Amino acid sequence: MSEELHRIRLSVNGVTREAEVPARRLLSDALRHDLGLTGTHVGCEHGVCGACTVLVDGRPVRACLMFAVSAVDTEITTVEGLTREDGSLGPVQQAFAECHGLQCGFCTPGFLTTVTACLRENPDPSHEEAREMVAGNLCRCTGYQNIVKAVERAAEIARAEETPSEARPEEVSR
Amino acid sequence: MKPAPFAYHRPTTLAEALETLAGESYAKVLAGGQSLVPLLSMRIAAPQALVDINALPGLDTIEVSEAGVRVGALVRHADLLADPDVRRVQPLVPAALAHVAHPTIRNRGTTVGSIVHADAAAEMPVVLSLLGGSVEAASSTGTRTIPADELFLGPLESALRPDEIATSAFFPALPAGAGVAFEEISRRQGDYALAGVAVVVHGDSVRAGFVSVSDVPTVVDLTGVPDDGLGEAALAHLDPADDIHATADYRAQLVRTLVRRVVTKAREAAA
């Protein structure tokens, strides 16, 4: 018995992509296997670790707790969509690199997507708020101290870019 | 792919969804999926079909009146938590929602879905019970209102029939002069509570709902109980269990500590 396949359209990082998937294909697997976007990492596969976090309509969501067939009609942003148009690192990525907010890097895509969305909602987090932003993501390497520093640094970078005198013109729109 | 194969339906009207559900022998309704998808991935559940209600119109609304808050089946925890009118009319709802998993889970998970999942370790089922709320259920043969005290039949078992969809939940407003409070203890913020307590104080009446210390969402009337007897009075109705996170004794001790603390907070809120 062959399993029924569903032809779906997913809007990922501003590009409409087509795939043919069984209903049980998790969004995390569809991104990686069907669309080749292997930046989204798969850790626990039951919503605990946060490595697979992507943005769905701008909000962080566990890609392993959604089916790809259920993600039609949404705008998905993966870690690949966080770079600037010229391919250079976005503010959160830049801050993680500067602050050594990663070691092995496995959990990093989930942190980057989560922090990107949280800083849009709260561009000037306190130290406590910065810690809370990453409370739903597990990291086995860093001990989190540098990740929290990276959140605060990312907020600084993003705020500096919001100030026209310090931002390069091509970055203001991002 | 971890879940077992299932047929997938994505109806665009409630009537179509109910008809599809009635025609399946073992189907589950998919809303936020934050409890259902892990159960499928671990193959604890393997329904033959899923009826995805995410494309149904009109179920994502929050209606606030002086009588209370009606929450549609597709309202995400995060949106309910952020609503200032909900906070004004029934502050226990956001107080408890802030403890429901992590923000990322709250972005997708639905409050109605969490209620009908009927987990005694979850916050919102017992909050609905404590407030005397209800769930609106629709099937292809009609609709009915299920009061919270008839909703929870057993561990993870609600009174919802297999052919029914919970379309909304209703949380009654806080009466004038009443006070509420919620607190829970967990290993890390966002984890399941080791124990949690919600309290409503109104005049002499003191009622408390408990999280993670019983098989089914449990509300205990503590009216007239002296403060130093609150813990034992509550524990007479509860059944804390051992697991890898805490012993039954420790959970009982958390109940004793929390119930006094939360009753005091609710009294302060009422004053």
Short mmCIF file of all heavy atoms in Angstrom, two decimals, chain B residues 136-172:
data_model
loop_
_atom_site.label_atom_id
_atom_site.label_comp_id
_atom_site.label_asym_id
_atom_site.label_seq_id
_atom_site.Cartn_x
_atom_site.Cartn_y
_atom_site.Cartn_z
N GLU B 136 -18.02 24.77 24.44
CA GLU B 136 -19.06 24.63 23.43
C GLU B 136 -18.60 23.54 22.45
O GLU B 136 -17.49 23.61 21.92
CB GLU B 136 -19.19 25.98 22.70
CG GLU B 136 -20.51 26.26 22.05
CD GLU B 136 -21.67 26.43 23.03
OE1 GLU B 136 -21.44 26.74 24.21
OE2 GLU B 136 -22.80 26.20 22.58
N ALA B 137 -19.42 22.51 22.28
CA ALA B 137 -19.04 21.41 21.38
C ALA B 137 -20.02 21.32 20.24
O ALA B 137 -21.23 21.44 20.44
CB ALA B 137 -19.01 20.10 22.16
N ALA B 138 -19.50 21.11 19.04
CA ALA B 138 -20.36 20.98 17.85
C ALA B 138 -20.16 19.60 17.24
O ALA B 138 -19.06 19.06 17.26
CB ALA B 138 -20.01 22.06 16.83
N SER B 139 -21.25 19.02 16.74
CA SER B 139 -21.15 17.79 15.96
C SER B 139 -22.11 17.94 14.79
O SER B 139 -22.83 18.93 14.70
CB SER B 139 -21.53 16.57 16.80
OG SER B 139 -22.92 16.57 17.03
N SER B 140 -22.11 16.93 13.91
CA SER B 140 -23.00 17.04 12.75
C SER B 140 -24.47 17.00 13.16
O SER B 140 -25.34 17.31 12.37
CB SER B 140 -22.67 15.94 11.74
OG SER B 140 -22.71 14.68 12.38
N THR B 141 -24.75 16.61 14.41
CA THR B 141 -26.14 16.56 14.85
C THR B 141 -26.54 17.76 15.70
O THR B 141 -27.68 17.83 16.15
CB THR B 141 -26.41 15.27 15.65
OG1 THR B 141 -25.49 15.20 16.74
CG2 THR B 141 -26.24 14.03 14.79
N GLY B 142 -25.63 18.67 15.97
CA GLY B 142 -26.00 19.87 16.73
C GLY B 142 -24.88 20.34 17.64
O GLY B 142 -23.76 19.86 17.54
N THR B 143 -25.22 21.30 18.52
CA THR B 143 -24.20 21.82 19.44
C THR B 143 -24.69 21.62 20.87
O THR B 143 -25.88 21.47 21.12
CB THR B 143 -23.95 23.33 19.23
OG1 THR B 143 -25.18 24.02 19.48
CG2 THR B 143 -23.48 23.62 17.83
N ARG B 144 -23.73 21.57 21.80
CA ARG B 144 -24.10 21.51 23.21
C ARG B 144 -23.04 22.23 24.02
O ARG B 144 -21.91 22.42 23.56
CB ARG B 144 -24.26 20.07 23.69
CG ARG B 144 -22.99 19.24 23.60
CD ARG B 144 -23.17 17.85 24.21
NE ARG B 144 -21.94 17.06 24.06
CZ ARG B 144 -21.47 16.24 25.00
NH1 ARG B 144 -22.09 16.10 26.15
NH2 ARG B 144 -20.35 15.56 24.79
N THR B 145 -23.44 22.64 25.23
CA THR B 145 -22.51 23.28 26.15
C THR B 145 -22.15 22.27 27.23
O THR B 145 -23.04 21.70 27.86
CB THR B 145 -23.18 24.52 26.79
OG1 THR B 145 -23.59 25.39 25.73
CG2 THR B 145 -22.21 25.25 27.70
N ILE B 146 -20.85 22.05 27.41
CA ILE B 146 -20.41 21.11 28.46
C ILE B 146 -19.82 21.92 29.60
O ILE B 146 -18.78 22.57 29.44
CB ILE B 146 -19.33 20.14 27.92
CG1 ILE B 146 -19.79 19.49 26.60
CG2 ILE B 146 -19.01 19.08 28.97
CD1 ILE B 146 -18.71 18.64 25.93
N PRO B 147 -20.49 21.92 30.78
CA PRO B 147 -19.91 22.64 31.93
C PRO B 147 -18.59 22.00 32.34
O PRO B 147 -18.42 20.78 32.20
CB PRO B 147 -20.95 22.48 33.03
CG PRO B 147 -22.15 21.86 32.40
CD PRO B 147 -21.72 21.20 31.14
N ALA B 148 -17.65 22.82 32.84
CA ALA B 148 -16.32 22.30 33.17
C ALA B 148 -16.39 21.14 34.15
O ALA B 148 -15.62 20.18 34.06
CB ALA B 148 -15.45 23.42 33.73
N ASP B 149 -17.36 21.18 35.10
CA ASP B 149 -17.38 20.10 36.09
C ASP B 149 -17.91 18.78 35.52
O ASP B 149 -17.92 17.76 36.21
CB ASP B 149 -18.12 20.52 37.37
CG ASP B 149 -19.53 20.97 37.11
OD1 ASP B 149 -19.99 20.81 35.96
OD2 ASP B 149 -20.19 21.46 38.05
N GLU B 150 -18.36 18.80 34.25
CA GLU B 150 -18.75 17.54 33.60
C GLU B 150 -17.77 17.18 32.48
O GLU B 150 -17.97 16.20 31.76
CB GLU B 150 -20.16 17.66 33.02
CG GLU B 150 -21.23 17.84 34.07
CD GLU B 150 -22.58 18.21 33.47
OE1 GLU B 150 -22.78 17.97 32.26
OE2 GLU B 150 -23.42 18.74 34.22
N LEU B 151 -16.72 18.01 32.32
CA LEU B 151 -15.86 17.86 31.15
C LEU B 151 -14.74 16.85 31.35
O LEU B 151 -14.34 16.16 30.42
CB LEU B 151 -15.27 19.24 30.78
CG LEU B 151 -14.41 19.33 29.53
CD1 LEU B 151 -15.21 18.93 28.28
CD2 LEU B 151 -13.86 20.74 29.35
N PHE B 152 -14.22 16.76 32.56
CA PHE B 152 -13.01 15.96 32.77
C PHE B 152 -13.37 14.63 33.41
O PHE B 152 -13.73 14.55 34.58
CB PHE B 152 -12.02 16.75 33.63
CG PHE B 152 -11.70 18.09 33.03
CD1 PHE B 152 -12.07 19.26 33.67
CD2 PHE B 152 -11.06 18.17 31.81
CE1 PHE B 152 -11.81 20.49 33.10
CE2 PHE B 152 -10.78 19.40 31.23
CZ PHE B 152 -11.16 20.57 31.88
N LEU B 153 -13.29 13.56 32.63
CA LEU B 153 -13.77 12.25 33.08
C LEU B 153 -12.66 11.41 33.68
O LEU B 153 -12.89 10.58 34.54
CB LEU B 153 -14.41 11.49 31.91
CG LEU B 153 -15.57 12.21 31.20
CD1 LEU B 153 -16.13 11.32 30.10
CD2 LEU B 153 -16.66 12.60 32.19
N GLY B 154 -11.43 11.58 33.19
CA GLY B 154 -10.32 10.77 33.67
C GLY B 154 -9.03 11.35 33.14
O GLY B 154 -9.04 12.40 32.51
N PRO B 155 -7.89 10.68 33.42
CA PRO B 155 -6.62 11.21 32.93
C PRO B 155 -6.64 11.33 31.40
O PRO B 155 -6.90 10.35 30.71
CB PRO B 155 -5.60 10.14 33.37
CG PRO B 155 -6.29 9.36 34.43
CD PRO B 155 -7.75 9.42 34.15
N LEU B 156 -6.41 12.53 30.89
CA LEU B 156 -6.41 12.81 29.46
C LEU B 156 -7.72 12.41 28.77
O LEU B 156 -7.74 12.12 27.59
CB LEU B 156 -5.23 12.11 28.76
CG LEU B 156 -3.83 12.48 29.25
CD1 LEU B 156 -2.79 11.68 28.50
CD2 LEU B 156 -3.55 13.98 29.06
N GLU B 157 -8.81 12.39 29.54
CA GLU B 157 -10.09 11.98 28.96
C GLU B 157 -11.14 13.05 29.22
O GLU B 157 -11.48 13.32 30.37
CB GLU B 157 -10.54 10.64 29.57
CG GLU B 157 -11.78 10.09 28.89
CD GLU B 157 -12.35 8.87 29.61
OE1 GLU B 157 -11.72 8.37 30.57
OE2 GLU B 157 -13.45 8.46 29.22
N SER B 158 -11.66 13.63 28.14
CA SER B 158 -12.72 14.63 28.28
C SER B 158 -14.04 14.02 27.84
O SER B 158 -14.09 12.95 27.24
CB SER B 158 -12.42 15.86 27.44
OG SER B 158 -12.80 15.65 26.09
N ALA B 159 -15.13 14.75 28.15
CA ALA B 159 -16.47 14.27 27.79
C ALA B 159 -16.80 14.53 26.32
O ALA B 159 -17.89 14.21 25.87
CB ALA B 159 -17.50 14.95 28.69
N LEU B 160 -15.85 15.11 25.61
CA LEU B 160 -16.06 15.36 24.18
C LEU B 160 -16.20 14.03 23.44
O LEU B 160 -15.38 13.13 23.62
CB LEU B 160 -14.83 16.12 23.65
CG LEU B 160 -15.02 17.14 22.54
CD1 LEU B 160 -15.96 18.25 22.98
CD2 LEU B 160 -13.67 17.72 22.15
N ARG B 161 -17.25 13.89 22.65
CA ARG B 161 -17.43 12.65 21.88
C ARG B 161 -16.50 12.65 20.67
O ARG B 161 -16.07 13.70 20.21
CB ARG B 161 -18.89 12.53 21.40
CG ARG B 161 -19.91 12.37 22.52
CD ARG B 161 -21.24 11.88 21.92
NE ARG B 161 -21.63 12.63 20.73
CZ ARG B 161 -22.52 13.63 20.73
NH1 ARG B 161 -23.11 13.99 21.84
NH2 ARG B 161 -22.81 14.26 19.61
N PRO B 162 -16.21 11.45 20.11
CA PRO B 162 -15.28 11.39 18.97
C PRO B 162 -15.76 12.18 17.75
O PRO B 162 -14.94 12.58 16.93
CB PRO B 162 -15.23 9.89 18.64
CG PRO B 162 -15.64 9.19 19.88
CD PRO B 162 -16.59 10.11 20.60
N ASP B 163 -17.08 12.41 17.64
CA ASP B 163 -17.57 13.14 16.46
C ASP B 163 -17.74 14.63 16.76
O ASP B 163 -18.30 15.36 15.95
CB ASP B 163 -18.90 12.54 15.98
CG ASP B 163 -20.03 12.73 17.01
OD1 ASP B 163 -19.72 12.86 18.22
OD2 ASP B 163 -21.20 12.75 16.61
N GLU B 164 -17.26 15.10 17.92
CA GLU B 164 -17.45 16.50 18.28
C GLU B 164 -16.16 17.31 18.16
O GLU B 164 -15.06 16.79 18.39
CB GLU B 164 -17.94 16.61 19.74
CG GLU B 164 -19.40 16.25 19.91
CD GLU B 164 -19.86 16.38 21.36
OE1 GLU B 164 -19.11 15.96 22.27
OE2 GLU B 164 -20.96 16.90 21.58
N ILE B 165 -16.33 18.59 17.83
CA ILE B 165 -15.23 19.54 17.85
C ILE B 165 -15.56 20.60 18.91
O ILE B 165 -16.67 21.14 18.92
CB ILE B 165 -15.05 20.23 16.47
CG1 ILE B 165 -14.60 19.19 15.42
CG2 ILE B 165 -14.04 21.37 16.55
CD1 ILE B 165 -14.51 19.75 14.01
N ALA B 166 -14.61 20.86 19.79
CA ALA B 166 -14.78 21.95 20.76
C ALA B 166 -14.55 23.25 19.99
O ALA B 166 -13.45 23.49 19.49
CB ALA B 166 -13.78 21.81 21.90
N THR B 167 -15.59 24.07 19.87
CA THR B 167 -15.47 25.28 19.05
C THR B 167 -15.06 26.50 19.87
O THR B 167 -14.50 27.44 19.34
CB THR B 167 -16.78 25.58 18.31
OG1 THR B 167 -17.85 25.56 19.26
CG2 THR B 167 -17.04 24.54 17.23
N SER B 168 -15.36 26.48 21.18
CA SER B 168 -14.93 27.59 22.03
C SER B 168 -14.97 27.18 23.49
O SER B 168 -15.56 26.15 23.83
CB SER B 168 -15.83 28.83 21.82
OG SER B 168 -17.12 28.60 22.34
N ALA B 169 -14.33 28.00 24.31
CA ALA B 169 -14.42 27.82 25.77
C ALA B 169 -14.83 29.16 26.35
O ALA B 169 -14.49 30.22 25.81
CB ALA B 169 -13.08 27.38 26.35
N PHE B 170 -15.58 29.11 27.47
CA PHE B 170 -16.04 30.33 28.10
C PHE B 170 -15.52 30.41 29.54
O PHE B 170 -15.74 29.48 30.33
CB PHE B 170 -17.57 30.40 28.10
CG PHE B 170 -18.12 31.64 28.75
CD1 PHE B 170 -18.03 32.87 28.09
CD2 PHE B 170 -18.68 31.60 30.01
CE1 PHE B 170 -18.52 34.03 28.69
CE2 PHE B 170 -19.16 32.76 30.62
CZ PHE B 170 -19.08 33.97 29.95
N PHE B 171 -14.80 31.49 29.84
CA PHE B 171 -14.32 31.74 31.20
C PHE B 171 -15.17 32.86 31.79
O PHE B 171 -15.10 34.00 31.31
CB PHE B 171 -12.85 32.20 31.18
CG PHE B 171 -11.88 31.18 30.67
CD1 PHE B 171 -11.53 31.15 29.32
CD2 PHE B 171 -11.30 30.26 31.53
CE1 PHE B 171 -10.62 30.22 28.84
CE2 PHE B 171 -10.39 29.32 31.06
CZ PHE B 171 -10.05 29.30 29.71
N PRO B 172 -15.97 32.58 32.85
CA PRO B 172 -16.78 33.65 33.45
C PRO B 172 -15.90 34.78 34.01
O PRO B 172 -14.77 34.53 34.45
CB PRO B 172 -17.52 32.95 34.59
CG PRO B 172 -17.48 31.50 34.24
CD PRO B 172 -16.19 31.29 33.50
#
